[in-house]
Amino acid sequence: MKEESFPLKEARLRLLLKELGEHDELYYRLAKPKISDQKYDQLKRELEQLSSELDPLGLFPTKEKSSNNEADPKGVLVGDDRVDGFKSHTHKEAMLSLDNTYDENEFFEFDKRLRKVFGNIDLDYVVEPKIDGVAVSLSYREGELECAVTRGNGVTGDVITQNLLHIPELPRSINALKYPDFIEVRGEIYMEHEEFTRINQEKEEKNLPTYANPRNLAAGTVKLLDPKEAKQRQLRMVLYGLGACEPVDFFTSQIEFHKTIAEWSFPTVEFVSFVPSASQAWEEICKLDKLRHEYAYPTDGAVIKLDSRERQKTSGHTAKAPRWAISYKFESERQTTVLEDIIIQVGRTGAITPVACLAPVQLAGTLVSRASLHNADEIERKDIRIGDHVLVEKAGEIIPQVVEVVEEYRSNTSVPFSFPSACPVCETSLARIEGESAWRCPNYGCPDQLKGKIEYFASRGCMDIENLGSAVVEQLVDLKLVTRLDDLYRLEHRHLLELGGFAEKSARNLINAIENSKTQEFWRIICGLGIKHVGSSASKELAKNFTDWNVLSKATAEDFIAIEGIGSIMAHSLVSFFQSPENLLILESMENFGVLLKSKSVEGNFSPWDGQIFVLTGSLKKFSRLEASKSIENLGGRVSSSVSKKTNFLVAGPGAGSKLVKAEDFGVSILTEEEFISFIEKPDSLLA
Ligand code: IVH
């Protein structure tokens, strides 16, 4: 019997190798995984089990060679993220992966294995969060950043320094009296949820495919070939590990490493727990699972590391992972449920979004009955059908997503979903521009587009009109009380009383909120107009550069392009928006209703920090880079990573190098940290 099953098992092993090779390609290189991490881990385990059963001596290749997986000189077996167009860099110490477990017993077995090596004594561990981002290795020679490199195939990675220079917390140098001659510091690049949502919204507006989660978007960003484009997407960074180090004994333990890099003001994780035994490590793992949702970075587990570097060396590593560390993966917030229907929504730009209607399911503390299906291609790629059992997850812990179909439960009678060819609201035939992922309703008068436009205008990120949510907007449009944006300012108390859900007081509150919005900041109005490609940061720039809408609406594409952060696509979109007589009419009408269509600074609130460009260099004692950047931005200034003729101020701490020289050449004002602090304390004195 056993012998008979061998060929079958071998066939399964080959299939697994092939499939995992494809999934590695999708995850690491293309940042577009098709299956969940859990499913991937499950396949990987099956592969490991089968290969140890069929091939105990390890003679069989354990990695299917994909086109880019060249023979690996050090035999490291990790996925490969390298793409064409980047310079290669060989890590001084290989970047390994980690063994995973979802099982408490397996964690204690890991400890048992190690204790066997060290005479069965309790071992010191460090417990840290496992950040779900993109691995990076930063090399510092003589205290200066030499390069930032991706993991690549574990041995050689891509040099991505240029794409990370806009990360304010990226340490350009080590500001300390004592540091190693050479060091590789390992960490993770990630993206905050807010930035992820902002970029996806922009993608949707441009009819481009959206990213499923912040990790994929961060991975896509570090691999952009144009650093200017990468600069438009705010990445963040956190560091937790040591690669090569000269001298090798500079650090004797993981906890010492953490404390030292914190002293160097490197961005570190907030949960680093030193414990004297595995049972206490387990307690910390459980604590971390509760705290991790508060962190700015996405986490999917805990990493437990043997603290002593000496012991780490003694325990060694396999081809894939160190024996002295393990990651305990937390159960992700996901559930299986039934996909009852797929409905089609029309967005404010006419983009058609399919939405999954689910049998309600409890997920991360909320009852979920809707999930995004992104676009027609996504439904086709995952072959999602009405009636399927689907795995639902909160992507980046916020937006519910359909991860995959549970194919075992699919009914024989199910049929592929057929995407509609006409708008479900106004029945206009849908159109799709070649190469774009979203279908669009081309009818600008489509009531759902208008609803979307009004909701967006009133939203928190724009005019922030409280109580003007979707239910109210729906009625206002359906009853034709609002047919254009400016109609909002025509609304009277008596109109609202016609709507369901309004009484005297609530009607007055909404009328007051609409009235108050007339003096909102100018950038919020620009943003609320929903001009294609123009989001909040561009709107802020526009409001800084154009004092009122009369000047703004007459600007040329060249005038727009001269503004930092505005490219030609956005410039042409602005010009075409202001060329439309209908749009000008709406703006004129708003002005007649008393909407303030100009910057308040014109009214006397000018801040001398507005538009001033700062560059930070050297070490700051009282601030982290991030804190200093935030203070500047809060006062209306901007932070740039490099000195140019446009730079207004260079804040130079000890250890400032080439930037100081360049700033002196350009005649940029140079501030010490103390001078900088005194300006922050008295912002009006900046240009005095
Ligand atoms: S230690 C040789 N610590 O997880 C030690 N890795 O699945 C390997 N990761 O490639 C890395 N958080 O990109 C370590 N606190 C942490 C981590 C961490 C996230 C990533 C890292 C690694 C991957 C392995």
Side-chain angles (χ1 to χ4, degrees), residues 96-98 128-131 135 151 188 240 303 305 322:
L96 296 178
S97 184
L98 280 170
E128 309 164 1
K130 182 170 193 301
I131 298 113
R151 185 166 75 160
E188 215 76 4
Y240 51 71
V303 183
K305 299 174 179 171

Short mmCIF file of all heavy atoms in Angstrom, two decimals, residues 96-98 128-131 135 151 188 240 303 305 322, ligand 1:
data_model
loop_
_atom_site.label_atom_id
_atom_site.label_comp_id
_atom_site.label_asym_id
_atom_site.label_seq_id
_atom_site.Cartn_x
_atom_site.Cartn_y
_atom_site.Cartn_z
N LEU A 96 17.80 35.68 5.82
CA LEU A 96 17.03 34.44 5.87
C LEU A 96 15.56 34.72 6.13
O LEU A 96 15.16 35.83 6.45
CB LEU A 96 17.57 33.55 6.99
CG LEU A 96 19.00 33.06 6.82
CD1 LEU A 96 19.42 32.24 8.02
CD2 LEU A 96 19.14 32.24 5.54
N SER A 97 14.79 33.65 6.01
CA SER A 97 13.38 33.75 6.33
C SER A 97 13.20 33.25 7.77
O SER A 97 14.18 33.03 8.48
CB SER A 97 12.64 32.88 5.33
OG SER A 97 11.28 33.00 5.54
N LEU A 98 11.97 33.05 8.19
CA LEU A 98 11.73 32.55 9.55
C LEU A 98 10.84 31.32 9.48
O LEU A 98 9.95 31.26 8.63
CB LEU A 98 10.98 33.60 10.36
CG LEU A 98 11.75 34.76 10.96
CD1 LEU A 98 10.78 35.79 11.51
CD2 LEU A 98 12.67 34.27 12.07
N GLU A 128 9.27 40.07 19.88
CA GLU A 128 9.03 41.31 19.11
C GLU A 128 7.84 41.09 18.20
O GLU A 128 7.51 39.96 17.88
CB GLU A 128 10.20 41.60 18.16
CG GLU A 128 11.54 41.58 18.75
CD GLU A 128 12.63 41.49 17.67
OE1 GLU A 128 12.31 41.45 16.47
OE2 GLU A 128 13.79 41.44 18.08
N PRO A 129 7.25 42.17 17.71
CA PRO A 129 6.18 41.97 16.71
C PRO A 129 6.76 41.51 15.38
O PRO A 129 7.91 41.85 15.05
CB PRO A 129 5.57 43.36 16.54
CG PRO A 129 6.45 44.31 17.25
CD PRO A 129 7.47 43.57 18.03
N LYS A 130 5.98 40.75 14.63
CA LYS A 130 6.37 40.41 13.27
C LYS A 130 5.63 41.40 12.37
O LYS A 130 4.41 41.41 12.32
CB LYS A 130 5.98 38.98 12.92
CG LYS A 130 6.42 38.60 11.52
CD LYS A 130 6.26 37.12 11.28
CE LYS A 130 6.99 36.69 10.02
NZ LYS A 130 6.55 37.36 8.82
N ILE A 131 6.39 42.24 11.73
CA ILE A 131 5.78 43.30 10.91
C ILE A 131 5.52 42.76 9.51
O ILE A 131 6.37 42.10 8.91
CB ILE A 131 6.70 44.54 10.86
CG1 ILE A 131 6.87 45.07 12.28
CG2 ILE A 131 6.14 45.64 9.98
CD1 ILE A 131 8.23 44.95 12.80
N ALA A 135 10.81 43.50 3.57
CA ALA A 135 12.10 43.45 4.27
C ALA A 135 13.12 44.36 3.59
O ALA A 135 13.15 44.48 2.37
CB ALA A 135 12.60 42.01 4.28
N ARG A 151 15.43 42.19 0.15
CA ARG A 151 15.94 40.86 0.49
C ARG A 151 16.41 40.12 -0.76
O ARG A 151 17.34 39.35 -0.72
CB ARG A 151 14.85 40.06 1.21
CG ARG A 151 15.38 38.73 1.68
CD ARG A 151 14.45 38.09 2.67
NE ARG A 151 13.28 37.54 2.02
CZ ARG A 151 12.51 36.61 2.57
NH1 ARG A 151 12.80 36.15 3.78
NH2 ARG A 151 11.46 36.15 1.95
N GLU A 188 11.82 46.57 8.25
CA GLU A 188 10.65 46.39 7.40
C GLU A 188 10.15 47.76 6.93
O GLU A 188 10.10 48.71 7.71
CB GLU A 188 9.58 45.71 8.25
CG GLU A 188 8.70 44.76 7.55
CD GLU A 188 9.33 43.40 7.23
OE1 GLU A 188 10.47 43.11 7.63
OE2 GLU A 188 8.64 42.62 6.55
N TYR A 240 14.60 46.14 13.26
CA TYR A 240 14.57 45.17 14.36
C TYR A 240 15.70 44.14 14.35
O TYR A 240 15.78 43.32 15.23
CB TYR A 240 13.25 44.38 14.32
CG TYR A 240 12.97 43.80 12.95
CD1 TYR A 240 13.72 42.75 12.46
CD2 TYR A 240 11.98 44.34 12.14
CE1 TYR A 240 13.49 42.26 11.19
CE2 TYR A 240 11.74 43.84 10.88
CZ TYR A 240 12.50 42.80 10.40
OH TYR A 240 12.29 42.32 9.15
N VAL A 303 7.76 37.51 16.79
CA VAL A 303 9.00 36.79 16.49
C VAL A 303 9.71 36.58 17.82
O VAL A 303 9.87 37.53 18.60
CB VAL A 303 9.90 37.58 15.52
CG1 VAL A 303 11.14 36.76 15.17
CG2 VAL A 303 9.14 37.93 14.25
N LYS A 305 13.13 35.41 19.57
CA LYS A 305 14.54 35.23 19.22
C LYS A 305 15.35 34.90 20.46
O LYS A 305 15.15 35.53 21.51
CB LYS A 305 15.10 36.52 18.61
CG LYS A 305 14.39 36.95 17.35
CD LYS A 305 14.89 38.31 16.86
CE LYS A 305 14.16 38.66 15.57
NZ LYS A 305 14.41 40.04 15.13
N PRO A 322 16.90 30.75 10.48
CA PRO A 322 17.74 30.48 11.66
C PRO A 322 17.05 29.47 12.57
O PRO A 322 15.82 29.41 12.61
CB PRO A 322 17.83 31.84 12.34
CG PRO A 322 16.66 32.62 11.86
CD PRO A 322 16.30 32.10 10.51
S1 IVH B 1 14.07 38.38 12.06
C1 IVH B 1 17.26 35.78 10.49
N1 IVH B 1 12.24 39.90 13.15
O1 IVH B 1 9.61 38.29 8.43
C2 IVH B 1 16.09 36.41 11.12
N2 IVH B 1 11.95 39.25 10.87
O2 IVH B 1 9.08 35.60 7.52
C3 IVH B 1 15.01 36.72 10.17
N3 IVH B 1 9.97 40.16 9.81
O3 IVH B 1 12.32 38.12 6.22
C4 IVH B 1 14.36 37.97 10.37
N4 IVH B 1 9.21 41.27 11.54
O4 IVH B 1 11.21 40.40 6.62
C5 IVH B 1 12.64 39.26 12.04
N5 IVH B 1 10.70 41.28 14.24
C6 IVH B 1 11.09 40.64 13.14
C7 IVH B 1 10.35 40.66 11.93
C8 IVH B 1 10.83 39.95 10.82
C9 IVH B 1 9.00 40.96 10.28
C10 IVH B 1 10.00 39.62 8.43
C11 IVH B 1 11.36 39.66 7.79
C12 IVH B 1 11.66 38.23 7.44
C13 IVH B 1 10.29 37.64 7.40
C14 IVH B 1 10.34 36.15 7.64
#
